Amino acid sequence: MDKANHHKFINGCPRCLYNGNCDSCGRKEPRGKLSSTDWLSDLPAGDDNVVEVIFKNTRVGFYRNENNLDLKIGDIVVVDGAPGYDIGKVNLTGYLVKLQLRKAGTKAINELKLIYRKATEDDLIKFEEVRSKEHSTMIKARAIAEDLDLSMKIGDVEFQGDGGKAIFYYIADERVDFRKLIRILAETFKVRIEMKQIGARQEAGRIGGIGPCGRPLCCSTWLNKFVSVGTGAARVQDLSMNPQKLAGQCGKLKCCLNYEIDSYAEAQKELPPKDFILETQDNAYYLFKSDILNRKLTYSTDKHVPANLVTIDASRAFEIISLNKKGHKPESLSEKIVTPVSSEYGDIIEQDSVTRFDKKAKKKKHKKGKSDNRNNLNDINKLTGSAQENKNFKHFDQNNNSNHNRNKKKP
């Protein structure tokens, strides 16, 4: 699909352009699938050339491609609206559509509606004009429902591609009699009206938000089919049964509880039974909590209160269970403490030091050789100086004695 057509299909939003998930377009674009490779794309679709088409608010339909159009995922097509026509995006083709039909329980393929053609420029312009009325129509419909004092909330409006039909999505806790509302809406907007009730999860996916994981909600980004989530998924993963922690933005159980349940169920099979009591020579230990993926088990001496907690590996727990079945009781629950063996190699070049890259201040080295030589020279000078003084003193003394003797000889 070219950029111009895609730009018009997302209601001309200049910000998201290819995602349809920014604030300007109000997340009106159908949410896409995860980025993955279709390994069955080379398989022939067979005689029944069926294509899955997605519309707004994850509304999905199956249509027959009797004209044998060269359709790919992402192409915008015009389909039968009965009456009129509708515009949607190709979501799935090939052999995988058969699996989705079987999953949806659709058996009569001949009763499926037809794909007319690929959307043209005129179809996209008309479709853009129709979609621009959806927000204002929703605001007016909310005011009408409030005047009729109906306990319901209209969350979104979807117009058909030709503008002849409008689907009003609403949320209600109880059964609502909206027959009068339908008559007023039909007279006000001059279109055929269809009311469709949605749940809290669909509403959260339409509005969007940030989950406790710090990422955008799965239902507002890529998840387009909701699967029922039960409390059994939390029990298998050994999670705390706290409603505030298990509930998502919609107030229901988080959809991500189903993501890792298979991995936890497989890992749970490799752990000992929860009701088995480990007996030692001192006490009897009951299972307090378990780290399923790390295969770590924490036991307590009290069945209801955490006391004398000891954490052991699953292999050690199986070993104690086999000993108890034979009638033996180990001395302690934990394994024997093994003294760590000192490593043969040490950190010679200080690779583990945090400050190994810091510049160390250079210390001035004290040169002993030169200082000793200077001291020796000073001592020698002192000695030579004193010797010279003594020599001069003796020479002066000799001169004085010779002069004194000369003076004595004179008459």
Side-chain angles (χ1 to χ4, degrees), residues 386-404 406:
S386 60
Q388 187 68 26
E389 290 177 358
N390 293 332
K391 185 176 180 180
N392 295 333
F393 180 76
K394 288 180 180 180
H395 182 69
F396 178 75
D397 192 13
Q398 290 177 358
N399 293 333
N400 289 336
N401 291 333
S402 63
N403 293 330
H404 180 69
R406 287 177 183 174

Side-chain angles (χ1 to χ4, degrees), residues 43-97:
L43 294 180
D47 298 334
D48 302 326
N49 194 359
V50 182
V51 178
E52 184 185 60
V53 181
I54 188 171
F55 304 92
K56 187 180 177 182
N57 288 330
T58 67
R59 182 170 62 92
V60 179
F62 298 96
Y63 296 87
R64 288 183 292 124
N65 184 14
E66 288 191 351
N67 297 326
N68 294 324
L69 300 174
D70 186 15
L71 299 178
K72 299 179 181 178
I73 296 177
D75 291 341
I76 304 173
V77 293
V78 178
V79 299
D80 185 11
Y85 66 89
D86 202 356
I87 296 178
K89 182 189 293 186
V90 177
N91 193 41
L92 197 63
T93 60
Y95 183 77
L96 290 177
V97 181

Side-chain angles (χ1 to χ4, degrees), residues 137-154 168 170-171 176-178 180-182 184-185 189 195:
T137 304
M138 180 186 67
I139 299 301
K140 293 180 182 179
R142 285 181 178 180
I144 295 172
E146 186 177 357
D147 294 338
L148 296 176
D149 197 15
L150 298 177
S151 58
M152 59 183 295
K153 175 187 175 183
I154 298 177
F168 290 81
Y170 71 95
I171 300 174
V176 180
D177 186 8
F178 44 75
K180 186 176 180 181
L181 175 65
I182 292 177
I184 297 176
L185 293 177
F189 302 111
M195 304 297 296

Side-chain angles (χ1 to χ4, degrees), residues 73-319:
I73 296 177
D75 291 341
I76 304 173
V77 293
V78 178
V79 299
D80 185 11
Y85 66 89
D86 202 356
I87 296 178
K89 182 189 293 186
V90 177
N91 193 41
L92 197 63
T93 60
Y95 183 77
L96 290 177
V97 181
K98 289 187 176 182
L99 301 180
Q100 294 297 327
L101 284 171
R102 189 183 308 169
K103 185 177 180 180
T106 304
K107 296 181 180 179
I109 299 178
N110 295 328
E111 298 179 0
L112 296 177
K113 298 178 182 179
L114 301 177
I115 296 178
Y116 291 150
R117 62 185 181 278
K118 288 186 178 181
T120 60
E121 190 74 17
D122 296 336
D123 295 332
L124 294 175
I125 293 173
K126 178 65 179 298
F127 184 58
E128 185 179 356
E129 294 176 356
V130 171
R131 292 188 65 176
S132 62
K133 304 177 183 177
E134 291 178 350
H135 184 71
S136 59
T137 304
M138 180 186 67
I139 299 301
K140 293 180 182 179
R142 285 181 178 180
I144 295 172
E146 186 177 357
D147 294 338
L148 296 176
D149 197 15
L150 298 177
S151 58
M152 59 183 295
K153 175 187 175 183
I154 298 177
D156 199 3
V157 177
E158 178 186 1
F159 273 94
Q160 196 170 270
D162 57 354
K165 177 182 176 182
I167 303 175
F168 290 81
Y169 296 91
Y170 71 95
I171 300 174
D173 296 332
E174 300 176 355
R175 185 179 178 87
V176 180
D177 186 8
F178 44 75
R179 288 177 293 182
K180 186 176 180 181
L181 175 65
I182 292 177
R183 289 196 299 267
I184 297 176
L185 293 177
E187 294 175 357
T188 304
F189 302 111
K190 307 299 180 181
V191 293
R192 291 181 293 109
I193 305 297
E194 179 182 349
M195 304 297 296
K196 189 173 183 180
Q197 186 176 2
I198 59 175
R201 291 182 177 177
Q202 288 84 354
E203 178 70 8
R206 190 191 66 84
I207 297 174
I210 303 297
C213 58
R215 296 176 61 85
L217 298 178
C218 298
C219 55
S220 64
T221 53
W222 61 270
L223 187 64
N224 52 16
K225 292 182 180 179
F226 295 95
V227 182
S228 61
V229 185
T231 56
R235 292 191 180 93
V236 171
Q237 301 177 50
D238 200 13
L239 299 176
S240 176
M241 303 303 292
N242 188 351
Q244 295 180 353
K245 293 183 178 181
L246 297 179
Q249 297 286 358
C250 58
K252 305 296 182 180
L253 291 176
K254 297 178 183 177
C255 297
C256 56
L257 291 177
N258 287 338
Y259 294 170
E260 299 179 352
I261 186 173
D262 295 334
S263 300
Y264 277 89
E266 291 294 330
Q268 192 75 259
K269 298 177 182 178
E270 300 178 359
L271 298 179
K274 295 183 178 181
D275 56 349
F276 201 92
I277 303 173
L278 303 184
E279 296 181 358
T280 60
Q281 296 180 4
D282 299 332
N283 290 310
Y285 289 88
Y286 304 90
L287 180 64
F288 178 68
K289 65 177 181 178
S290 58
D291 190 351
I292 300 175
L293 298 182
N294 290 330
R295 304 185 77 246
K296 298 290 183 181
L297 304 173
T298 302
Y299 286 88
S300 172
T301 54
D302 196 301
K303 192 173 184 180
H304 304 286
V305 181
N308 303 323
L309 298 178
V310 179
T311 302
I312 61 174
D313 193 70
S315 58
R316 175 62 177 172
F318 281 114
E319 182 182 351

Side-chain angles (χ1 to χ4, degrees), residues 363-374:
K363 296 181 180 180
K364 295 182 179 180
K365 295 183 179 180
H366 182 67
K367 297 181 180 180
K368 296 182 179 180
K370 292 183 179 180
S371 60
D372 293 340
N373 294 333
R374 290 178 181 176

Side-chain angles (χ1 to χ4, degrees), residues 346-357 360:
D347 187 16
I348 301 175
I349 59 177
E350 296 183 355
Q351 290 184 351
D352 298 334
S353 177
V354 180
T355 61
R356 63 183 184 272
F357 295 111
K360 298 180 180 179

Side-chain angles (χ1 to χ4, degrees), residues 336-354:
K336 295 181 180 180
I337 301 175
V338 180
T339 56
V341 181
S342 59
S343 178
E344 183 178 356
Y345 302 98
D347 187 16
I348 301 175
I349 59 177
E350 296 183 355
Q351 290 184 351
D352 298 334
S353 177
V354 180

